[in-house]
Amino acid sequence: MGQQAARCKNLLPNQTPSFPESVLRALLQSSPLPPMEQTHESLHPPPQLEDCLRLLRGKRDEQILAGLLLVTKICNKDDLDSILRVYEAVGVRFLDRLLRTGMGNANATGGGNENQDVYLQLSVTILSVFCRVPQIAAAEEMVSKIPLILQIMTRHSALEECYEFLFLVAASNNKDGVTALVESGGLKVLATQMPSLPDGSTIFELSMRLLQLVVDNTSPDTLMEVYLSELSTMVCYIAQQFACLQNALKFELLHLLSIVLAWHQLGPLYDALQSVSNDKWPMYIQAAADQKLQALVVAESMVSMLGECWLIGQVNLHDTQSSFPSDRFLFLVLELSRVEVAVLLNDLGYLKYGASSSSSGDISQKQAKLSLAFNLLEKIIKLVSDVGEYEGGVISDDSITKVIAGLNETTGVVLEYLNDAKDHGQRKGDDLLASVRFVGSYLAEAPLACKEKVENLLGFLLSVEGEHEQSPFLSICFLLPMLYQITRTSEGCQVFVSSGGYKAVVGCVIELFSSSHHTEEESGSRSLACDMLINLLLMREQIRVRDEHAFVPLLRAFALWEEKAKDGPPVLMTSSICCLIFKYTSEESLLQYPGFDFSTLNALSQLIARSLSTIALDDDDATESCHDLHHIIIEGFSVWADRFPHISKAIDGLI
């Protein structure tokens, strides 16, 4: 050892060192690199350490290198206290000069630097070992070296020690370390090198953990605006590894994907992922998503981006001969979602009605998970209902039957949960609202499913409110497609009227027509509600309505809406409803209601006149439904004209 050290030249700041390569390689081969899973337990320092520390504090660089070589022989890799003492003895200045020398930043004079790569490997290895001590990794001196390490990674092949250094420093400094990494171009380096990293290797694991730190400590907006290209590249590669790996790292990749893919709603990540050259990445996720909740998060994000058809289709993995049936993944998502719904509803029922005490946090978390599972089931419902639109017969009739059977069974479970809530006098909660939404989605396509349970619960379903809602407006909107289906028969209308639900729907319609701004979804709800009321009013002679005056508030709402209404189907529908209501009352009777006066009659007269003018002007292009509505108005007028002289006079000549 002494002979080797004697041959070393003194390292000056402006000189290139020329240590014998044998000494340098001896240091590299002896430097322990503890595994990621080790525990940081302090061990009692051996007596020989003091001799090493004296060498490390020497004034000549050959003494320091000799001390480092001796340390690797006697110092236990788990002895963090001793590693800290070695670091303090070596000093930051020597480490910095050694790193820059390895990078070729020193001004060489004379014989060149044939051992530069060895210096570089040695400096990075020493830094990564020192950073196993959290106190060292958290030091500003280490954060300041992040740009230098990234330079090394761009000029040389990926070094495992570089990734380990970046991860340990970023993890110890959190925001400061991650900020330095991101602002120094770390994401570009990661995106460039990640596809060439060995599958499942330690260096790949370190790169994933490093990216996880970036995602956890950087705002999505920043990543979207500045690093969108790099992010989309890494997502595609992570998706491929997610499909191929079969070890514990698969769960970490799943966690990372579940976070990043949820960002598609924030902006252009969706478009970036759609345009990447690797168009197989969605199939990789489809083939590997089998880890329950997080898998459902990923699946829901993918369906939201790519549509329900992503759940079906032949799956062929890259570089493999294996393939899966086109409906395999559909059934996987269906069964996972169904199991989650059953388990979560059971847990929520116990927390809300059975447990002696429960935290709102536990309930909120389970409600969020329940909403996720319901979302996927609703996507599957839409897929099955639109199956005729997909070419190639990708879903067999037998598969559709199995899907419907599963959905039917889950709907029964959900209705039992809602019945428990009714029995406990609970009608407010996000879990109840999500349950009503799911039931409404399924029963809109299968109105006869769970018929008896639905009839018994219909009034309650129409009264459910979300946790922060002040009315059952959303529940009613969710159920409108189903209500439209059942009110097409006199039996269904009688069930609906017997539940008292028609009053709730009247209130919903009034709210829909009172709003000054309408989304496309609200416009659809308004049309459905009007169609359902027309069904009900047309059946009025065959059913018994308990409250004959329940529909009068609709007339006031339509009168107020008439001034801002545009000509078209909504005018025809509201006019038809008015004419059907007029059949069972009179002008004189209506004027006795509070808030109902001649100005209201004038507005209703204008509404009906506009509907008649609209159909007359555009008779050739009018749809069959418009002609049906026009017929309702004409037929109704012949019944009530003599009881509404004011309105009859206003529309005289248009009939």
Side-chain angles (χ1 to χ4, degrees):
M1 178 67 194
Q3 292 177 348
Q4 288 177 325
R7 290 198 297 268
C8 295
K9 296 181 180 180
N10 190 45
L11 289 177
L12 298 176
N14 63 345
Q15 287 183 319
T16 300
S18 58
F19 299 122
E21 187 171 352
S22 60
V23 175
L24 299 173
R25 295 203 180 279
L27 276 167
L28 287 174
Q29 294 170 3
S30 304
S31 298
L33 192 60
M36 294 291 288
E37 295 80 10
Q38 73 170 37
T39 57
H40 293 164
E41 297 175 355
S42 297
L43 305 177
H44 188 70
Q48 301 95 322
L49 181 61
E50 296 301 330
D51 297 330
C52 299
L53 294 177
R54 278 193 291 272
L55 284 172
L56 294 171
R57 296 189 186 102
K59 295 182 179 180
R60 298 191 308 276
D61 290 325
E62 63 264 27
Q63 290 177 298
I64 300 175
L65 283 172
L68 286 173
L69 181 59
L70 187 57
V71 164
T72 64
K73 303 295 184 182
I74 65 173
C75 188
N76 190 297
K77 63 181 181 180
D78 297 328
D79 188 355
L80 300 188
D81 286 343
S82 294
I83 294 176
L84 178 59
R85 294 181 66 189
V86 171
Y87 170 76
E88 293 172 344
V90 172
V92 176
R93 186 168 177 267
F94 174 83
L95 294 173
D96 188 62
R97 284 192 294 118
L98 185 62
L99 177 63
R100 293 181 182 277
T101 299
M103 295 176 64
N105 291 347
N107 297 321
T109 60
N113 181 19
E114 65 275 11
N115 292 326
Q116 181 176 314
D117 287 343
V118 184
Y119 296 140
L120 183 63
Q121 177 76 58
L122 174 63
S123 61
V124 174
T125 300
I126 292 173
L127 285 172
S128 66
V129 173
F130 281 151
C131 284
R132 285 310 182 102
V133 182
Q135 180 180 341
I136 299 175
E140 291 185 11
E141 293 83 358
M142 295 302 165
V143 176
S144 67
K145 288 179 173 55
I146 287 178
L148 297 178
I149 297 297
L150 290 172
Q151 287 182 37
I152 294 171
M153 296 169 68
T154 58
R155 298 177 186 176
H156 301 77
S157 59
L159 298 174
E160 184 174 312
E161 291 79 9
C162 290
Y163 278 91
E164 183 175 10
F165 172 85
L166 292 175
F167 171 72
L168 292 171
V169 173
S172 297
N173 289 272
N174 287 329
K175 195 168 182 63
D176 291 340
V178 170
T179 299
L181 174 69
V182 172
E183 293 181 351
S184 301
L187 284 179
K188 185 175 182 180
V189 174
L190 283 176
T192 302
Q193 294 191 353
M194 193 176 289
S196 63
L197 300 179
D199 295 349
S201 62
T202 301
I203 193 171
F204 173 73
E205 179 180 354
L206 287 168
S207 69
M208 290 299 99
R209 294 188 179 185
L210 196 56
L211 180 58
Q212 182 69 60
L213 284 173
V214 172
V215 169
D216 289 342
N217 293 279
T218 309
S219 74
D221 290 336
T222 299
L223 294 175
M224 292 287 185
E225 292 173 7
V226 185
Y227 305 103
L228 184 61
S229 176
E230 291 84 356
L231 194 63
S232 58
T233 298
M234 288 187 284
V235 165
C236 294
Y237 182 68
I238 293 170
Q240 179 178 341
Q241 292 299 302
F242 179 51
C244 298
L245 293 180
Q246 299 299 330
N247 54 27
L249 185 57
K250 190 183 190 82
F251 292 93
E252 296 190 32
L253 298 181
L254 176 61
H255 178 65
L256 190 57
L257 285 170
S258 66
I259 293 175
V260 175
L261 288 178
W263 291 346
H264 73 86
Q265 297 174 343
L266 298 180
L269 179 59
Y270 166 74
D271 295 327
L273 288 172
Q274 287 280 67
S275 62
V276 294
S277 58
N278 180 4
D279 59 356
K280 292 182 178 294
W281 71 272
M283 289 191 296
Y284 291 134
I285 292 181
Q286 185 185 110
D290 58 357
Q291 305 300 332
K292 295 199 72 174
L293 182 62
Q294 286 187 329
L296 293 180
V297 172
V298 173
E300 198 275 337
S301 297
M302 295 299 296
V303 173
S304 296
M305 285 194 294
L306 302 179
E308 293 78 15
C309 59
W310 178 74
L311 293 167
I312 54 178
Q314 198 72 31
V315 179
N316 296 299
L317 295 182
H318 181 62
D319 294 334
T320 68
Q321 299 299 318
S322 62
S323 63
F324 304 116
S326 60
D327 55 11
R328 174 185 181 274
F329 188 66
L330 170 63
F331 281 111
L332 176 61
V333 174
L334 172 65
E335 292 308 311
L336 278 175
S337 302
R338 290 182 61 234
V339 169
E340 283 299 300
V341 166
V343 171
L344 290 167
L345 289 180
N346 183 68
D347 291 347
L348 282 167
Y350 175 74
L351 289 173
K352 295 173 71 172
Y353 314 128
S356 57
S357 63
S358 59
S359 67
S360 59
D362 290 340
I363 293 177
S364 297
Q365 288 180 1
K366 292 187 182 297
Q367 287 175 335
K369 295 175 182 178
L370 180 67
S371 179
L372 170 68
F374 276 146
N375 283 343
L376 279 169
L377 289 177
E378 289 171 40
K379 302 290 187 184
I380 292 173
I381 292 170
K382 186 175 187 302
L383 173 69
V384 173
S385 65
D386 296 340
V387 69
E389 299 179 8
Y390 301 106
E391 298 180 357
V394 291
I395 308 181
S396 66
D397 291 342
D398 184 57
S399 294
I400 293 176
T401 301
K402 291 178 181 178
V403 170
I404 293 174
L407 291 171
N408 201 63
E409 182 180 336
T410 298
T411 302
V413 171
V414 176
L415 288 171
E416 288 290 346
Y417 180 73
L418 289 167
N419 191 64
D420 286 344
K422 176 185 176 183
D423 291 342
H424 285 87
Q426 295 288 329
R427 63 180 186 88
K428 199 175 187 68
D430 291 340
D431 54 321
L432 301 180
L433 183 62
S435 298
V436 170
R437 188 184 71 181
F438 166 74
V439 169
S441 297
Y442 182 61
L443 294 181
E445 306 298 331
L448 299 180
C450 308
K451 186 171 178 289
E452 185 176 346
K453 290 181 180 179
V454 172
E455 291 178 358
N456 292 333
L457 280 173
L458 186 55
F460 173 76
L461 297 178
L462 291 166
S463 70
V464 169
E465 302 175 5
E467 194 66 41
H468 304 291
E469 304 294 328
Q470 301 302 316
S471 73
F473 175 77
L474 289 177
S475 286
I476 298 169
C477 289
F478 294 151
L479 293 170
L480 283 175
M482 180 267 288
L483 293 174
Y484 170 73
Q485 293 288 343
I486 68 172
T487 53
R488 296 176 71 178
T489 66
S490 59
E491 180 186 0
C493 285
Q494 188 59 60
V495 170
F496 178 53
V497 169
S498 298
S499 72
Y502 65 97
K503 297 179 182 178
V505 173
V506 166
C508 176
V509 172
I510 291 173
E511 186 169 346
L512 285 169
F513 277 86
S514 299
S515 175
S516 56
H517 301 285
H518 285 289
T519 64
E520 183 177 348
E521 186 176 357
E522 287 177 336
S523 296
S525 296
R526 189 170 63 180
S527 297
L528 270 175
C530 287
D531 284 338
M532 190 225 48
L533 285 175
I534 290 172
N535 287 345
L536 182 65
L537 291 169
L538 286 172
M539 299 278 187
R540 194 167 177 180
E541 292 182 356
Q542 303 173 40
I543 58 177
R544 182 176 181 181
V545 179
R546 297 174 183 174
D547 186 356
E548 295 289 341
H549 311 298
F551 300 102
V552 174
L554 283 172
L555 299 175
R556 292 199 297 267
F558 293 159
L560 293 173
W561 171 76
E562 186 274 333
E563 291 184 3
K564 55 187 177 184
K566 296 180 180 179
D567 290 338
V571 170
L572 278 168
M573 286 190 293
T574 51
S575 296
S576 299
I577 293 172
C578 291
C579 290
L580 290 171
I581 295 174
F582 290 164
K583 290 175 67 174
Y584 299 96
T585 186
S586 66
E587 191 173 288
E588 181 181 358
S589 177
L590 288 176
L591 288 171
Q592 296 178 14
Y593 282 94
F596 202 108
D597 52 24
F598 282 104
S599 64
T600 307
L601 286 175
N602 287 334
L604 294 175
S605 301
Q606 290 297 319
L607 183 66
I608 297 173
R610 288 174 59 185
S611 69
L612 294 172
S613 299
T614 299
I615 199 73
L617 291 173
D618 198 22
D619 188 72
D620 292 338
D621 296 328
T623 64
E624 182 179 351
S625 61
C626 290
H627 281 295
D628 290 341
L629 294 173
H630 184 255
H631 176 74
I632 290 173
I633 296 171
I634 298 298
E635 191 273 337
F637 179 79
S638 65
V639 174
W640 50 257
D642 58 334
R643 288 182 276 116
F644 285 85
H646 192 87
I647 295 179
S648 297
K649 182 179 179 181
I651 63 175
D652 185 36
L654 295 175
I655 298 294

